[in-house]
Amino acid sequence: MDDALRFIGAALAVGLSALATGWAQSRIGSAGAGTLAEKPELTGTVIVLLALPETMVILGFVIGALILLL
């Protein structure tokens, strides 16, 4: 039973962080497309803003790995 709870916890850590990242990137992507239509010189800034939510998935993966390893 203990292993099953650990697996569920790790799956939730990775899965929920991936869903949150997808939701955040959809919002940022649509706003970034509008921004680039008006000011194409902000391309670098929009790319950085799109890359920032990826850290949520990475941290979720690290937490999931720690749950499984400890």
Side-chain angles (χ1 to χ4, degrees):
M1 183 67 174
D2 185 43
D3 283 342
L5 291 176
R6 286 179 41 219
F7 294 144
I8 291 171
L12 284 174
V14 176
L16 292 177
S17 65
L19 284 174
T21 296
W23 180 77
Q25 282 186 329
S26 71
R27 300 287 182 140
I28 294 170
S30 63
T35 301
L36 291 178
E38 293 180 10
K39 293 186 178 184
E41 64 270 8
L42 293 176
T43 303
T45 303
V46 171
I47 290 173
V48 169
L49 289 175
L50 277 170
L52 281 176
E54 287 296 322
T55 58
M56 286 193 293
V57 172
I58 294 169
L59 291 175
F61 178 74
V62 168
I63 296 299
L66 287 174
I67 289 173
L68 292 177
L69 294 177
L70 297 178

